[in-house]
Every structure is written in structure tokens, then in C-alpha cells.
Amino acid sequence: MSYPLPIQQAKPTTRALYPIAIIVVLALWLLPLFAITLTSIRSAEDLMVGNYWGWPKSFNLFENYQAVFTQTPMARFFLNSIVITVPTVFFVMILSTMMGFVLARYRFRGNMLLFALLIGGNFIPHQILMIPVRDFMLKVGLYDTPYALILFHTVFQTGFATLFMRNFIAELPRELFEAAKVEGTSPWQVLWHVVTPLVRPALAALGVLIFTFVWNDYFWALVLTQADTVRPVTAGLATLRGQYVTAWNIISAATVLVAIPPVVMFFLMQRHFVAGLTMGAVKG
């Protein structure tokens, strides 16, 4: 099997075109973000005269971003997303660590079947689950509440997270577990005092991924919520278009604000995130 050569070993023509290609791709990638950010600081007059791509004639930075919280219910949507996302990340990390530990270190009948079922759930299209999940939430009285999204995301994300944690725990040296067994430690003590400190980078990486998945979810926020008092930011942002058709500057400002928490989360956890993703990639 052949692998791509490092750019330093590529042909001179390839090396010369490489930085140009990076700049072009980066520009195409950032162009929509630049357009939205620029629109978020435009005045309403700019938009009314059709100045969508030109340089703003006046800057309404503070006015537009303040209007997001004074003229729209985005503050409530942000609070709803925090209420939904933070508990979900907490529960998923706890459940996936415990299940990953069991599946990685204990052999029992049905071990691989259980593991396959957890992984298989992630391959089911969301559209197939939409009606059964909605009917279930209605029957148990959780529909149109934050608990519906917390419960669903916890269950759905735990499968992927268990696969993630199992692979990391399986790479830990077996000698550590044998030494802990000789010392007479219980499985709970091994999990808490041996496994958890060693997989902390993996937990940080998993936390960033789950936070991003849940915060950016739109499909299930649309299916399982209706009221503004429950909607997270993604579903709430979509409702602004109908209420503020001409206020694209305010909608763009709200869009920028919605994107900030996952970005901040990533940069705060960047060192742990990279370490978690590369942990176990190279065996000593």
C-alpha cells in the first residue's frame, strides 16, 4: 500500500503549488464566515439599498449584537442550549467511560455483541428514528421539554463515545491492571484511580466532540421541541427569519454568537484535544 509523500519530498511543481492551493481552499472556506461577520455589523440602511457584499457604509457592531438579546429571544435560546448540552456531555462521559472500561478489560458472553449493538445504533439514519422517538417522548410526557433532548442525545451519543473510550482504555498497559489486582483493588477503584487519570486527554477530546455535536444539533431540536421556552439556539435561530425578515444584520449577529461557544470550547481544550486524538496512535 502506498501512502502520500510528505510535501518536502514531493516534486518541485507540487511543492510550488501546495501553498497556493492552501490559500485558495482557505479563502473559499472562510468566505461565507467573512460574509456573515460583515453582515452582522452592517446597518439596516445598507441592507435596504442592496449593499450585501460591499464594504459597510456604517458600522453597527454594538447596536446589532445588543439587539440580538434585546429584540429577540436568543438569550433564552442560549440558556436552553446550556441546560441541554452540559448535562448531556456529563452523562455521556460517565457512561461511556464505565462501559468502555468493561468492554475493554472484561471478557464475558455477549461482549462483542453488546459492543456491535452500541456501534450499530450510530448507523441508523435519523429520519427513521424521528417518529418512534417523538412518539416515545409524547408517551412518557417529555416532549417539548429539555429532558427529551438530554435523554435522546445521551443515549445516542453514548454509543460513539463508548467506542471512543474503549479503544483508548484497551491500549493501556496490562501490567497496570495486574498490579492493581495484586493490590486487591476493586473494579471501581481501578476505574477511578487507574483508568480515569490515564485517559484524561481522551475525555477532554470526547468532551469537545460531544459538546459540538449537541450544541450544533438542529434536526432533533426541531423534532422534539416547539415552544420558545425550550428551543435551543439552532432551532431558535431558524425562527428569527420569520419574525425578522429584513433584519439580516441581526440574524447574522445571532449566527456569529451561536458559533462562538464551540470555538471557545475547542481553543480552551486544544492541547488536551490534540493529545486525546493522538493518544495511543503510536505504541512505545
Side-chain angles (χ1 to χ4, degrees), residues 17 31 34 47 59 65 91 102 105 114 128 229 260 277 281:
L17 293 176
L31 184 61
F34 175 76
L47 296 173
F59 295 92
Y65 281 86
F91 292 139
V102 172
R105 291 299 168 185
L114 177 60
I128 295 178
T229 55
I260 288 177
L277 291 182

Side-chain angles (χ1 to χ4, degrees), residues 46-125:
D46 246 11
L47 296 173
M48 290 179 66
V49 298
N51 184 19
Y52 301 116
W53 289 97
W55 193 252
K57 295 180 180 179
S58 62
F59 295 92
N60 284 21
L61 174 63
F62 297 105
E63 294 85 349
N64 291 347
Y65 281 86
Q66 183 181 18
V68 171
F69 297 103
T70 58
Q71 299 181 19
T72 75
M74 283 302 294
R76 180 66 193 183
F77 298 151
F78 267 93
L79 179 60
N80 292 340
S81 282
I82 293 172
V83 169
I84 292 166
T85 305
V86 173
T88 300
V89 173
F90 178 74
F91 292 139
V92 169
M93 291 175 69
I94 289 179
L95 292 173
S96 63
T97 302
M98 292 191 296
M99 295 176 67
F101 172 63
V102 172
L103 292 172
R105 291 299 168 185
Y106 292 92
R107 294 292 179 264
F108 54 89
R109 180 175 294 181
N111 180 299
M112 294 307 298
L113 177 60
L114 177 60
F115 186 46
L117 289 174
L118 286 169
I119 299 174
N122 290 276
F123 294 98
I124 301 176

Side-chain angles (χ1 to χ4, degrees), residues 8 18 24 28 42 55 71 113 116 129 147 154 179 184 207-208 210 214 230 233 246-248 265:
Q8 295 83 359
Y18 183 72
V24 171
L28 292 174
R42 291 184 188 278
W55 193 252
Q71 299 181 19
L113 177 60
L129 296 173
Y147 305 109
T154 299
V208 174
I210 300 301
V214 177
V230 181
V233 289
T246 58
W248 287 106
M265 179 78 170

Side-chain angles (χ1 to χ4, degrees), residues 33-234:
L33 178 61
F34 175 76
I36 292 174
T37 305
L38 201 61
T39 303
S40 72
I41 61 176
R42 291 184 188 278
S43 63
E45 292 76 14
D46 246 11
L47 296 173
M48 290 179 66
V49 298
N51 184 19
Y52 301 116
W53 289 97
W55 193 252
K57 295 180 180 179
S58 62
F59 295 92
N60 284 21
L61 174 63
F62 297 105
E63 294 85 349
N64 291 347
Y65 281 86
Q66 183 181 18
V68 171
F69 297 103
T70 58
Q71 299 181 19
T72 75
M74 283 302 294
R76 180 66 193 183
F77 298 151
F78 267 93
L79 179 60
N80 292 340
S81 282
I82 293 172
V83 169
I84 292 166
T85 305
V86 173
T88 300
V89 173
F90 178 74
F91 292 139
V92 169
M93 291 175 69
I94 289 179
L95 292 173
S96 63
T97 302
M98 292 191 296
M99 295 176 67
F101 172 63
V102 172
L103 292 172
R105 291 299 168 185
Y106 292 92
R107 294 292 179 264
F108 54 89
R109 180 175 294 181
N111 180 299
M112 294 307 298
L113 177 60
L114 177 60
F115 186 46
L117 289 174
L118 286 169
I119 299 174
N122 290 276
F123 294 98
I124 301 176
H126 287 193
Q127 292 81 357
I128 295 178
L129 296 173
M130 179 177 66
I131 294 177
V133 170
R134 182 180 180 276
D135 289 345
F136 173 78
M137 295 301 177
L138 283 168
K139 288 180 181 178
V140 298
L142 295 180
Y143 181 75
D144 204 22
T145 69
Y147 305 109
L149 288 169
I150 293 172
L151 177 60
F152 175 80
H153 285 306
T154 299
V155 173
F156 192 80
Q157 298 294 342
T158 296
F160 160 76
T162 299
L163 168 65
F164 191 89
M165 293 305 301
R166 176 194 176 276
N167 291 340
F168 281 109
I169 296 173
E171 293 296 326
L172 297 178
R174 185 175 298 274
E175 292 78 11
L176 290 174
F177 297 94
E178 293 176 351
K181 186 176 181 180
V182 170
E183 293 293 332
T185 55
S186 66
W188 284 106
Q189 290 173 323
V190 173
L191 175 62
W192 181 252
H193 295 290
V194 177
V195 174
T196 303
L198 293 175
V199 298
R200 194 170 297 166
L203 287 171
L206 181 63
V208 174
L209 291 173
I210 300 301
F211 183 92
T212 303
F213 293 159
V214 177
W215 183 274
N216 290 335
D217 170 68
Y218 174 69
F219 181 83
W220 291 107
L222 197 64
V223 171
L224 298 178
T225 63
Q226 284 186 330
D228 284 350
T229 55
V230 181
R231 282 194 181 103
V233 289
T234 48

Side-chain angles (χ1 to χ4, degrees), residues 201-202 204-209 266 269-278:
L206 181 63
V208 174
L209 291 173
F266 172 78
M269 305 294 291
Q270 183 178 13
R271 180 168 61 88
H272 301 289
F273 181 78
V274 174
L277 291 182
T278 57

